[in-house]
Amino acid sequence: WQKRWMNSEYKPDLGKFKLAAGKFYGDAVRDKGLQTSENSKFYAISSRFKPFSNKGKTLVIQYTVKHEQKIDCGGGYVKIFSSNLDQKNLSGDSHYYIMFGPDICGSETKKVHVILNYKNKPHPIKKPIRCKVDGYTHLYTLIIRPDQTYEVKIDNEMVASGNLEDDLDFLPPRKINDPTVRKPTDWDDRIQIDDPNDVKPEDWDEPEYIMDTSAEQPEDWDDAVNGEWHYPMVKNPLYRGEWKPRQIDNPNYRGVWPHPQIDNPNYSPDFSIYSYENISIIGLDIWQVRAGTIFDNFLITDDEVYAEDFGDETWGETKGPEKEMNIKQTEEEQERERVTEEKYFEQRFKKKLERKKESGNDRAVRNTVKKEEL
């Protein structure tokens, strides 16, 4: 794998990958993958293959990710590049075609990225897609078809699909509001209005601040130095703020005015959004606070059925045994902790008994001495 994958050298302290199956796995050999090994590091590694174009073909990008460290903040996505990428200088600034996969950071960010480059600009998907966060290996699949539809699968189950043009902002909208049409002046779209029968109470108007007449002028106050002394201003407890009439439902409410639309003169269809030339490199360009993620089973193909079968034959066959091993390890660890805890309290109990026994002997000795003295 070290011959097929090239580490970036764009900065000297990049994190290092190692080949590992992790602490728990379904198969010790088949589950080995590229694992991040250093905390709080940037990682950048890539692998080159024969260039191809997906024009007129389906493009499937698939791989497995295992956050066995139950990652708190870090990426688990891959990037697809053209053949002209300088692999030794791969970084977050490197131009990529596609970015796909999970990204986790805190409680807010737990999503699957789908970002496609179009005319040298990255365009993220507008749909939220939640990623897996349970610490087990999961299979991520992105399918891009020549009819400009896409599909995202996790563990060979579809979690999102749609049209590229609709779900990513590649092109201007097909329709726009007719600039020559204005909302009628008598169109009332206010849901609620002021109650005309609501009257402000007579005692409402109170100043926000009043003079504190209980204050006294300091004895050392010098008008020549400090100016004329005045009572300080304090918050008025009777102040109730600005009066506003209560709100009621508007009897004349007509709803949101439907602005007539016309064809956008700036829109022109592009039926090649999905396609890229000289696809030649897959890379991992990520940041991780807590290392331990394992990447495996990378696959790029034009066959959706083959990709699904490949996922079943790799991830599908080892996911069960992996979970069983993890459960067994957890139970064994809990048993060890229980035994350790029991030993700890047993020792504490013995020491307490010994101290009590010693204390009793001391009292017996003292009593004997007292009798002899008497």
Side-chain angles (χ1 to χ4, degrees), residues 205-224:
D205 291 327
E206 287 282 347
E208 186 174 359
Y209 291 93
I210 57 175
M211 286 191 300
D212 181 7
T213 55
S214 64
E216 296 181 357
Q217 179 176 324
E219 294 180 1
D220 60 349
W221 187 274
D222 189 338
D223 288 350

Side-chain angles (χ1 to χ4, degrees), residues 29 56-57 119 128 131 139 141-142 145 185 304 334 344-345:
V29 177
K57 297 180 181 180
K119 293 185 176 179
C131 64
L139 182 72
T141 308
L142 172 64
R145 304 185 182 96
T185 55
E304 295 183 43
Q334 289 174 345
Y344 169 74
F345 283 108

Side-chain angles (χ1 to χ4, degrees), residues 13-18 35-43 287-292:
D13 60 341
L14 289 171
K16 292 180 174 58
F17 284 95
K18 64 179 181 180
Q35 184 180 42
T36 56
S37 64
E38 299 175 86
N39 293 337
S40 300
K41 291 283 187 178
F42 285 99
Y43 291 84
W287 158 264
Q288 290 199 333
V289 173
R290 189 186 304 167

Side-chain angles (χ1 to χ4, degrees), residues 144-155:
I144 300 175
R145 304 185 182 96
D147 63 358
Q148 311 224 105
T149 62
Y150 72 92
E151 189 173 320
V152 176
K153 298 164 74 176
I154 301 179
D155 298 343

Side-chain angles (χ1 to χ4, degrees), residues 61 77-80 96-101 103 111-118 121-126 129 142 144 152 164 167-168 170 276:
I61 300 165
Y77 43 81
V78 297
K79 291 181 178 180
I80 304 299
Y96 62 86
Y97 281 156
I98 298 170
M99 175 172 154
F100 167 64
D103 191 10
K111 64 182 178 182
V112 177
H113 285 295
V114 178
I115 304 176
L116 305 186
N117 192 290
Y118 178 70
K121 283 187 63 179
H123 295 266
I125 193 171
K126 292 183 284 187
I129 307 174
L142 172 64
I144 300 175
V152 176
L164 293 176
D167 294 347
L168 294 94
F170 294 112
Y276 298 96

Side-chain angles (χ1 to χ4, degrees), residues 16-18 20-24 31 33-41 43 65-73 75 135-137 286-295:
K16 292 180 174 58
F17 284 95
K18 64 179 181 180
K23 297 176 182 177
F24 53 90
D31 282 350
L34 298 181
Q35 184 180 42
T36 56
S37 64
E38 299 175 86
N39 293 337
S40 300
K41 291 283 187 178
Y43 291 84
V65 187
K66 178 188 179 186
H67 293 308
E68 76 170 17
Q69 78 278 39
K70 294 190 177 177
I71 191 168
D72 50 355
C73 189
Y136 292 112
T137 300
I286 56 175
W287 158 264
Q288 290 199 333
V289 173
R290 189 186 304 167
T293 301
I294 298 174
F295 300 87

